[in-house]
Amino acid sequence: MWSRLRNVTYRKVKRHQRHHKTTSAAVTAAMPSECTEPLTSPFGELATNLSDSELRETAYEILVGARLSSGGKSSTYASDSEKNSERAAATPQTLTSRAASKVKKALGLRSRRKKASEKAESERVKKVSTIGETMRVQMRVSEQMDSRVRKALSKVAADQKIESMVLPLEMLQQLKPSDFPNQEEYEACQRRNLKLLEAGLLLHPLVPLDDENTAPQQLREIIDGALEKPLETSKNNETMQALRTVVLSLACRTSNNIGSVSETSTHWADGFPMNLKIYQMLLEACFDVNDETSVIEELDEVLELIKKTWLVLGMNQMLHNLCFLWILFNRYATMDQAEGDLLSAGNNLLIKVGNDAKAMKGDENYCRMLSSTLGAILSWAEKRLLGYHRYFRSDNAESTMGCVVSMAVLSVKIMEGGEGISNEDHIEGNEMDVGQEKVDAYIKSSLRAAFVQIMETVKSSKSSSTGQQNELPFMAKLAEDVSTLAFTEKETFSPILKRWHPLAAGVAVATLHSCYGNELKQYVSSIDELTPDILEVMKGADKLEKDLVQIAVENSEDSEDGGKSIIREMLPYEADSVTSNLVKSWIKTRTDRLKEWVDRNLQQEVWDPRANRERFALSAVEVLRIVDEAFEAFFLLPITTHSALLPDLATGINSCLQHYISMAKFGCGTQSTYVPTMPPLTRCSRRSKLPSVFKKKEKVPKKSQAGTVNGNENDSFGTPQMCCRINTLNYIQNELNVLAKRDITHLSSSGTNQDIADRMEKVFEFSAAACVEGMQQLCEATANKVIFQDLSHFFWDGLYIGEVSSTRIDPFLQELDHYLEVISITVHDKVRTQVITEVMKVSFDGFLMVLLAGGPPRAFTLQDYEIIDEDFNFLTDLFWSNGDGLPAELIDQFSTKVKDILPLFNTDTDSLIEKFKQVTLESCASSSAKSKLPLPPTTGQWSPTEPNTVLRVLCHRNDETAAKFLKKTYHLPKRL
C-alpha cells in the first residue's frame, strides 16, 4: 500500500513539473521542483518517545471505547467484519447513494473524483459497509487488533464509561499474551500502555502535580521496573494492584473551580500536547489511505464518531476547529500542494477559528496552541508571498494565491487579538487594514526578488550571446523585461491582491520603478562618454517609466487621491534630462578637445602665406573640419532634443572658433602699439643752414628697406605673416557660411524640424562677427606697423626733419610702394582693398602727425606750403596708381581732412594768430576768458577750426612773430 502511495505521489509531481514547463511565463520564475517540505507541528513534542503508530493504536482504542460506552453497541463482542453482509443488506451505504457531506459543503471541499477501477470500487462498497469498519481501514488497524481491542474493552465498558476509566491501565489488565501472535507483540503493547501512563499522568498532566504527593515517584518506579521486565497483569498480582492504586490516585483528582462545587474526575489523556497528538491521529483518518490528498466521502460520519472521544481527550469544538485546520493545512503543504480544495477548506475553517479565538481568550493552553498553529501557517504562507512570483503563476494564482494571502492576513489579525470574523466580514474585506499592510510588504518583497531574478537572467543571456548583431544593451533589455513583468503583475497578481490593497498594481510598479531606478542611477554614474548604447538605454528607461506610470494611473482611478501618493513615490528617471546632460557632456568633451587642438596647433603655427595657394594658415582648414564633424555627429545622435541642445553645441563651437580668432590676432598689436607718443608743445626756433643740419639729414637711410619687407621666416608678425592672418580669418568667415548652408540643406532633406534649420542660419553669427572684427583689427595693426614701425626711418624719423626741401616724402613713397606690392600679392582679393585702404588712412593720419606733432626738429615757413602740398599729392597718387589702385572717391574721402588743414600752412602768421584767438574764444564760450587765452587741450581730432590744431601750426611756424606770441601767451619753450 505504501509503495503504491509513493508511486501515485511521484506520478503527480512529475505531471505537475511537465505542466509547469509548458505554461510558465518568461518573467515568472518556476515553482520549486521540490514542492513538499516538512512543517513543525504546532502541538509541541511529547516528552516520551511514543511513535505515530503507537499514538494511532491508542487513538483507535479510545475511539472504540467511546463508541462502545456511548450505548451504540452491545457490550457483547461481535466483530463488524462478521456482520458486514447482514448490515450491508439491511442498510446499504454506497458512495453513490450517500447524501452530500454538510462538512464538505461548509468547508468548500468538492466530492472526490473516482480514481480506482469499477471493480475495486465495488469491492470497497462490499467490504466497508459501516463507519466503524471505515475507521478501522482509515487508521490502518488490522482486523486482529480490532478484534483484540473490542474484546478487551467490551469487558470493562459494561461497568464504566470510557471517560471514567484509565484506558491504558485497563488494557494492561485485560490483554493477555494469548491475545497476540507472539510474545514480542504483547510486550510491545504493554510498553506502549506504560509509556501512555507516564505521558498522561507524569509528563503532560492537565492538572499540575502536587510536589508533596509521593504517587508520581511510585508510578515512576513501577514503570521503570516494568520496562525492564514484563509486568504480570493478573488482578491478584501485587505489582499490578500497586500500579492500579497509584494510577487511580493520580488520575482521579479534584478540580476546584471558583464558585462551583468540588468535583472529582478522571484525567489521563487530556493534558497538552498529548491529547492533541492523539486527536491528530483520529483526524488523519479523514484522508483516504489510497489518496492522501483526498478527504473521504464519509467525512460527516467520521467526524461525528471522532467527537465521541472529546470527553476523554478534553477537546471541544474550538480545539477541534484548530486541530482540523492544522490537519487540512499540513496535508496540503506537505504533499504536492496540488489539491487546492484543502487550502480553501483550511481558509474557510480559519475564519471559524478567528471567531473561536475571542471566546477562548482565557484558556492558556488554547491560546498557546492557537499562536503556535497560526505562526506556523503564517510562516509557510509568507515564505511564498514574500516571493510569490517564484511560487505562483497565471494558472494557479487565482485558485491558490488568494487563499494563501487570506490565510496570512487572517492569521495576523487573529494573533493581534482581532475580533471574530464572520463570512460576511471576510467577503467584504473588513480585514483590509491588516491586509493592506501585509500585502504591501508582500508586493515589495516579491517584486524586488523578481527584479533580481530578471537581472540575473538578462546577464546570463547577454554573456551567452555576446557579439550578436542588433543586440540590446543590458539596461535596455532589462527595461523591456521589467515592463513585461509589470504587465504580468497587473494582469495576473494585482486583481487578486487588490482585495486587500486598493493600490496593489501601483505599489508593484512603484517598486519596480525604484529597483530599475537604482540600477539606472549607478549605470549613469559610471558613464564616461556618450555612445549609441547609452542613448538606447535612456530611450528604454523612458518607455519603461511611461508604462509603469500608466499602470499606476489606471490602477488608481477609484482611489481617494487618484494615485497621487503612489506617483509621488516614483521619483522620475528624468531620462530626457539625463540624456540632455549626457549630450551636453558629449558636447563639452568635443569642444574641449577642439580647444586643446586649437591651442596645440596655434603654438606651432608660423602663419606662412606660402603654405598653400590661398595663402591662409593650414590650421584653419583642420579647425573647420573638426567643427563640421562635430555638427555631423551631433545630428546623427538618436535623440529628439536636437533643437533644444543645438545652442549648447553652437556656444561651445563658437567659443573654440573665437578662441582661434583671438589667438590669430594675439600679439599683433593695435594702433597704440605703433603710433608714437606726441611730444609736448614747444616754440619753433629760427633754423640755420649750417653743416650740422646736413649731418642730421645724413641720418636718414638712403638704402632701400624694401628688402626686409618679407621679414624673417621665423617672424610670425612680419607683413606677409600679418597678411596670412587676415586671409585666415577671411577664409574662416566664408567657410562658416558654407558650412551652415550645407548643414541646413542636409537637415531639410532628412526631414528635421524646420526650427533646427532656422537656428543653423544663426549658429555661426558670433564667430563670423568675430572674424570681421578680427580682420579689421589686423588691418589696422598691419597698417600702423608698416607706417610707424617698418617705415619709421623714412617717415616719422625722416620726413621734414631739418630743411623741408631736403627731407621730402619721396624715399618714404618708394619704400611704401614696395610694401603695398607685397600686400597686394599676399592678401586675398576680397580683403585687399580693406588692407590697403587702412594703410592709406594711417599714412594720411601719420602725415598730419608729422606736420602737427612732429616736435621741435620740424619747422615750416609759408614758402614750404607748396612742397608739403605737393608731397601730399604724391602720397595720394601712390594709392590711386593711375587708376589701378584704390578708387578716387575712397581716396578723396580719407584725404579731405588733410586737404582742409594744409591751407593753414599757407596762412600768414598774423592772420593765423587772429584765427587762433577767435576759435579759442569761441570754444571757450566765456567772456571772462577774453583777457587771457586758455591753452586748448590736445584732442587728436585735427580740424582747421579746432584750437589745438591751429595752435600746433603756430608752434611749427618758423617765424619770429609766432615765437613771440607763444612765449608771451603760454610761455612755451623752444626745445624739449
Side-chain angles (χ1 to χ4, degrees):
M1 181 177 66
W2 284 107
S3 62
R4 176 187 172 193
L5 177 62
R6 285 196 298 272
N7 291 336
V8 169
T9 303
Y10 176 75
R11 287 196 300 272
K12 292 180 71 175
V13 171
K14 298 301 286 184
R15 185 168 60 250
H16 174 75
Q17 292 173 348
R18 287 196 300 271
H19 174 71
H20 170 70
K21 289 179 181 178
T22 59
T23 58
S24 60
V27 297
T28 306
M31 288 278 286
S33 58
E34 180 58 48
C35 294
T36 62
E37 56 184 283
L39 297 179
T40 302
S41 172
F43 303 150
E45 297 299 326
L46 294 178
T48 186
N49 57 343
L50 281 166
S51 65
D52 285 351
S53 61
E54 290 176 322
L55 289 173
R56 189 180 300 109
E57 291 176 9
T58 302
Y60 186 74
E61 291 172 353
I62 294 174
L63 182 67
V64 171
R67 190 180 182 204
L68 290 174
S69 65
S70 65
K73 289 289 177 183
S74 170
S75 60
T76 303
Y77 172 74
S79 173
D80 282 347
S81 60
E82 296 174 1
K83 302 177 181 180
N84 277 343
S85 59
E86 179 184 351
R87 291 178 180 171
T91 56
Q93 292 183 333
T94 66
L95 293 175
T96 56
S97 65
R98 192 181 305 281
S101 169
K102 293 181 180 180
V103 176
K104 280 190 174 184
K105 184 177 180 180
L107 296 179
L109 289 167
R110 292 174 295 180
S111 295
R112 184 178 53 189
R113 298 181 296 273
K114 289 186 178 181
K115 296 183 180 180
S117 66
E118 291 294 331
K119 180 179 178 181
E121 194 64 52
S122 63
E123 290 178 353
R124 171 180 169 82
V125 172
K126 181 179 179 180
K127 185 174 183 179
V128 183
S129 59
T130 66
I131 193 62
E133 182 65 14
T134 299
M135 284 299 292
R136 183 190 70 77
V137 174
Q138 287 294 110
M139 296 189 73
R140 305 179 184 90
V141 174
S142 66
E143 290 188 1
Q144 185 180 17
M145 177 184 173
D146 174 69
S147 176
R148 183 168 61 241
V149 170
R150 290 179 181 277
K151 181 179 178 181
L153 291 178
S154 63
K155 296 177 181 180
V156 293
D159 300 327
Q160 54 182 328
K161 293 183 177 295
I162 183 68
E163 62 270 18
S164 62
M165 69 173 71
V166 180
L167 186 60
L169 180 64
E170 300 302 334
M171 295 300 289
L172 278 171
Q173 193 150 28
Q174 296 299 328
L175 293 176
K176 305 300 179 185
S178 58
D179 297 324
F180 294 87
N182 52 60
Q183 182 67 21
E184 288 77 10
E185 286 193 27
Y186 171 72
E187 292 179 1
C189 179
Q190 189 179 95
R191 286 195 298 272
R192 173 174 63 83
N193 284 303
L194 290 170
K195 286 191 289 184
L196 284 171
L197 291 174
E198 178 188 33
L201 298 175
L202 300 180
L203 302 178
H204 305 287
L206 178 67
V207 178
L209 297 173
D210 186 355
D211 293 340
E212 298 180 358
N213 192 347
T214 61
Q217 182 60 32
Q218 295 175 20
L219 177 59
R220 172 73 64 193
E221 293 174 355
I222 295 173
I223 291 174
D224 290 345
L227 290 175
E228 293 180 3
K229 179 181 180 181
L231 181 67
E232 173 58 45
T233 59
S234 62
K235 277 187 178 182
N236 298 324
N237 182 272
E238 184 179 344
T239 304
M240 190 63 198
Q241 290 178 354
L243 177 63
R244 175 175 289 277
T245 300
V246 72
V247 165
L248 292 178
S249 68
L250 289 172
C252 301
R253 285 169 289 156
T254 299
S255 175
N256 294 321
N257 296 323
I258 298 175
S260 65
V261 179
S262 296
E263 293 183 358
T264 299
S265 56
T266 303
H267 303 275
W268 72 273
D270 54 356
F272 292 85
M274 179 178 174
N275 57 341
L276 302 180
K277 291 286 189 179
I278 296 174
Y279 196 67
Q280 179 182 358
M281 298 300 110
L282 293 170
L283 291 179
E284 295 283 0
C286 296
F287 293 94
D288 195 329
V289 292
N290 295 316
D291 185 359
E292 292 191 315
T293 60
S294 296
V295 177
I296 61 176
E297 291 297 318
E298 302 89 344
L299 179 62
D300 287 19
E301 293 89 338
V302 168
L303 289 179
E304 283 299 320
L305 182 57
I306 290 175
K307 286 183 180 180
K308 296 181 183 297
T309 66
W310 286 7
L311 286 174
V312 176
L313 299 175
M315 300 295 292
N316 56 28
Q317 185 66 51
M318 283 73 82
L319 285 169
H320 164 79
N321 289 342
L322 193 56
C323 288
F324 198 31
L325 165 63
W326 173 255
I327 297 301
L328 291 171
F329 171 76
N330 186 57
R331 184 58 61 103
Y332 171 81
T334 56
M335 294 301 171
D336 59 5
Q337 304 178 22
E339 292 294 334
D341 278 5
L342 296 179
L343 188 65
S344 177
N347 183 50
N348 292 329
L349 194 53
L350 183 57
I351 299 172
K352 294 183 179 180
V353 170
N355 292 321
D356 296 340
K358 182 179 180 181
M360 297 292 287
K361 279 185 177 180
D363 191 316
E364 181 180 345
N365 289 317
Y366 176 85
C367 291
R368 184 166 57 250
M369 177 187 171
L370 175 69
S371 176
S372 180
T373 303
L374 296 183
I377 292 174
L378 181 62
S379 176
W380 179 90
E382 290 202 328
K383 179 179 180 181
R384 282 142 186 82
L385 295 176
L386 290 171
Y388 58 78
H389 288 87
R390 181 186 177 207
Y391 289 92
F392 303 103
R393 307 171 307 276
S394 58
D395 61 339
N396 71 353
E398 181 61 36
S399 60
T400 304
M401 182 179 174
C403 284
V404 176
V405 177
S406 178
M407 294 187 76
V409 172
L410 287 170
S411 297
V412 173
K413 184 174 180 64
I414 295 169
M415 287 192 292
E416 290 181 354
E419 299 294 330
I421 305 169
S422 65
N423 286 317
E424 292 75 13
D425 291 333
H426 177 61
I427 294 173
E428 295 174 2
N430 288 346
E431 73 274 26
M432 190 67 71
D433 292 340
V434 173
Q436 183 167 332
E437 180 182 354
K438 298 302 293 184
V439 169
D440 189 88
Y442 301 153
I443 293 172
K444 291 177 179 178
S445 173
S446 188
L447 265 300
R448 290 187 185 113
F451 179 82
V452 171
Q453 179 63 41
I454 288 178
M455 283 189 64
E456 293 175 353
T457 302
V458 174
K459 286 179 181 178
S460 177
S461 63
K462 293 290 288 182
S463 61
S464 62
S465 60
T466 303
Q468 292 186 5
Q469 291 184 347
N470 301 322
E471 183 183 8
L472 283 176
F474 169 76
M475 289 298 293
K477 182 64 171 65
L478 181 62
E480 275 192 358
D481 289 356
V482 170
S483 181
T484 303
L485 173 61
F487 282 108
T488 300
E489 178 78 17
K490 173 190 173 185
E491 296 166 3
T492 304
F493 300 112
S494 295
I496 299 170
L497 299 174
K498 194 170 184 178
R499 301 171 196 169
W500 294 272
H501 199 308
L503 300 177
V507 172
V509 296
T511 303
L512 289 176
H513 186 276
S514 174
C515 290
Y516 186 84
N518 292 335
E519 297 299 320
L520 183 64
K521 185 177 180 181
Q522 294 182 21
Y523 174 80
V524 171
S525 66
S526 65
I527 293 174
D528 295 327
E529 60 179 328
L530 189 65
T531 64
D533 279 0
I534 292 171
L535 292 175
E536 192 71 33
V537 168
M538 300 316 300
K539 179 180 177 182
D542 184 56
K543 182 181 182 302
L544 171 62
E545 184 168 53
K546 290 177 180 176
D547 288 344
L548 297 180
V549 170
Q550 181 63 28
I551 293 174
V553 171
E554 291 175 357
N555 175 249
S556 307
E557 290 179 352
D558 300 330
S559 65
E560 294 180 359
D561 65 349
K564 293 180 180 178
S565 58
I566 291 293
I567 301 299
R568 280 196 295 268
E569 291 181 16
M570 302 169 68
L571 299 178
Y573 293 158
E574 297 182 344
D576 288 341
S577 175
V578 172
T579 301
S580 295
N581 290 335
L582 290 174
V583 176
K584 288 178 180 179
S585 177
W586 177 87
I587 290 172
K588 185 178 185 303
T589 300
R590 285 270 179 153
T591 52
D592 286 348
R593 290 175 183 172
L594 177 57
K595 186 176 182 299
E596 290 175 3
W597 187 95
V598 168
D599 287 335
R600 185 169 60 252
N601 283 268
L602 279 175
Q603 292 175 1
Q604 303 171 1
E605 185 60 72
V606 295
W607 307 101
D608 185 0
R610 297 169 298 180
N612 57 55
R613 190 175 65 181
E614 298 295 328
R615 300 180 296 282
F616 56 77
L618 293 177
S619 58
V621 179
E622 190 66 15
V623 167
L624 293 178
R625 183 188 65 79
I626 297 175
V627 169
D628 190 21
E629 289 178 352
F631 275 99
E632 182 179 2
F634 172 74
F635 288 117
L636 287 176
L637 293 175
I639 59 176
T640 59
T641 53
H642 287 109
S643 179
L645 295 172
L646 180 58
D648 293 85
L649 179 61
T651 300
I653 294 295
N654 276 297
S655 175
C656 292
L657 289 173
Q658 289 175 35
H659 178 64
Y660 182 92
I661 295 167
S662 175
M663 294 304 294
K665 62 184 181 179
F666 179 77
C668 295
T670 61
Q671 180 180 2
S672 61
T673 306
Y674 303 103
V675 176
T677 304
M678 293 185 191
L681 291 173
T682 58
R683 290 182 292 134
C684 178
S685 60
R686 188 180 301 272
R687 292 174 294 175
S688 66
K689 295 184 179 180
L690 295 174
S692 61
V693 174
F694 294 98
K695 279 185 178 180
K696 187 165 189 172
K697 189 173 146 185
E698 289 175 357
K699 290 182 180 178
V700 179
K702 294 182 179 180
K703 184 179 179 182
S704 172
Q705 300 295 318
T708 64
V709 72
N710 289 326
N712 191 312
E713 290 187 0
N714 295 323
D715 181 11
S716 60
F717 299 105
T719 300
Q721 286 75 17
M722 296 287 280
C723 293
C724 180
R725 293 172 187 264
I726 295 171
N727 290 340
T728 301
L729 297 190
N730 177 66
Y731 168 77
I732 292 175
Q733 180 191 6
N734 295 332
E735 287 300 309
L736 289 179
N737 293 330
V738 174
L739 179 61
K741 290 178 181 178
R742 183 169 66 250
D743 284 335
I744 292 171
T745 303
H746 171 71
L747 293 172
S748 300
S749 63
S750 62
T752 306
N753 190 318
Q754 184 60 37
D755 179 53
I756 300 179
D758 294 339
R759 292 192 180 196
M760 278 303 300
E761 293 182 355
K762 300 179 180 179
V763 76
F764 294 123
E765 60 180 352
F766 294 111
S767 294
C771 285
V772 172
E773 181 184 356
M775 284 189 290
Q776 180 61 32
Q777 292 179 9
L778 285 171
C779 288
E780 292 176 358
T782 300
N784 280 281
K785 180 177 181 295
V786 169
I787 300 301
F788 290 108
Q789 179 173 300
D790 296 345
L791 299 180
S792 177
H793 294 299
F794 299 95
F795 188 64
W796 182 254
D797 295 334
L799 184 62
Y800 304 143
I801 296 292
E803 290 292 335
V804 174
S805 59
S806 302
T807 55
R808 296 186 65 174
I809 203 169
D810 290 344
F812 169 71
L813 295 180
Q814 291 177 10
E815 297 299 321
L816 179 58
D817 183 48
H818 289 293
Y819 273 89
L820 292 177
E821 183 178 356
V822 171
I823 291 173
S824 298
I825 295 173
T826 308
V827 174
H828 195 274
D829 298 346
K830 291 184 178 181
V831 291
R832 182 179 299 139
T833 298
Q834 181 181 357
V835 179
I836 294 178
T837 299
E838 200 61 39
V839 174
M840 178 186 70
K841 179 177 177 294
V842 172
S843 64
F844 289 176
D845 289 343
F847 190 78
L848 277 180
M849 283 189 65
V850 168
L851 297 178
L852 300 176
R858 292 180 171 94
F860 307 101
T861 63
L862 288 174
Q863 292 74 22
D864 293 330
Y865 166 73
E866 293 181 359
I867 295 175
I868 296 171
D869 184 60
E870 185 178 33
D871 282 350
F872 184 69
N873 288 332
F874 290 153
L875 179 60
T876 56
D877 288 344
L878 176 64
F879 291 102
W880 183 60
S881 189
N882 295 321
D884 294 332
L886 297 176
E889 56 271 18
L890 192 63
I891 296 173
D892 291 340
Q893 176 187 346
F894 288 102
S895 64
T896 300
K897 183 189 295 186
V898 180
K899 291 179 178 179
D900 289 344
I901 294 174
L902 283 181
L904 293 176
F905 288 86
N906 194 32
T907 304
D908 64 85
T909 303
D910 291 334
S911 299
L912 199 60
I913 291 173
E914 288 301 321
K915 182 178 181 64
F916 171 71
K917 291 179 179 180
Q918 180 183 356
V919 296
T920 301
L921 294 175
E922 288 176 357
S923 65
C924 183
S926 174
S927 59
S928 61
K930 292 182 180 180
S931 59
K932 184 178 180 182
L933 292 174
L935 181 66
T938 301
T939 63
Q941 302 298 320
W942 314 127
S943 169
T945 59
E946 197 261 336
N948 188 262
T949 303
V950 179
L951 177 62
R952 286 180 176 275
V953 175
L954 284 171
C955 288
H956 289 83
R957 177 61 59 88
N958 190 5
D959 183 272
E960 187 66 29
T961 302
K964 288 181 179 180
F965 172 76
L966 293 173
K967 181 179 180 181
K968 179 181 179 181
T969 306
Y970 297 115
H971 305 288
L972 293 180
K974 283 189 176 183
R975 54 180 62 85
L976 297 177

